[in-house]
Amino acid sequence: VQLQASGGGLVQAGGSLRLSCAASGRRFSDYSVGWFRQGPGKEREIVAIISWSGGSTYYADSVKGRFTISRDNAKNTVYLQMSSLKPEDTAVYYCAADRVPLQSRVGGPLDGIEHWGKGTQVTVSS
């Protein structure tokens, strides 16, 4: 699976952005997909995860109630709708996919996740 993230940009605090993660290659619907981010001087962290069917989601506490992850398997795309953005949301955002549920990664290392896309920069100005 090849992943391409898009939709990043510069936005003022309180604004919104929608990120897209487009997949090509193998059966996308077999994969759990997650959004991750890495801010300046910080480690990469989980933002949100969605199961292969879309029936199960996980959000980091820092984004609960503000971000929504969704997927359209017919379009091979996962979305991250980000609202009420804060300057601390500034980071490079990556999407990743794995046939092992990504929820198993919560609280642990991110090594070995099968597929990563290139990141897209999100900058939130105050």
Side-chain angles (χ1 to χ4, degrees):
V1 171
Q2 291 79 46
L3 304 173
Q4 179 64 54
S6 62
L10 173 64
V11 64
Q12 288 188 332
S16 299
L17 281 175
R18 187 176 82 157
L19 305 183
S20 298
C21 176
S24 60
R26 301 179 66 177
R27 279 173 52 93
F28 182 60
S29 58
D30 289 345
Y31 288 81
S32 170
V33 179
W35 284 98
F36 301 75
R37 68 186 180 186
Q38 188 164 15
K42 298 181 181 179
E43 292 188 353
R44 193 170 297 190
E45 63 178 357
I46 295 172
V47 175
I49 296 167
I50 190 164
S51 63
W52 65 272
S53 67
S56 176
T57 56
Y58 165 85
Y59 296 93
D61 287 344
S62 58
V63 307
K64 277 181 185 175
R66 300 189 298 122
F67 290 11
T68 302
I69 190 170
S70 61
R71 69 189 296 163
D72 185 340
N73 286 339
K75 295 182 178 179
N76 285 357
T77 304
V78 169
Y79 305 97
L80 186 68
Q81 178 67 48
M82 306 186 294
S83 303
S84 302
L85 283 161
K86 304 175 181 180
E88 51 263 43
D89 295 317
T90 294
V92 179
Y93 284 70
Y94 301 87
C95 59
D98 202 312
R99 283 168 290 183
V100 175
L102 285 171
Q103 280 91 335
S104 65
R105 300 287 186 165
V106 174
L110 303 180
D111 299 352
I113 292 176
E114 283 190 273
H115 305 286
W116 288 91
K118 292 184 179 179
T120 184
Q121 176 71 46
V122 172
T123 303
V124 184
S125 63
S126 57

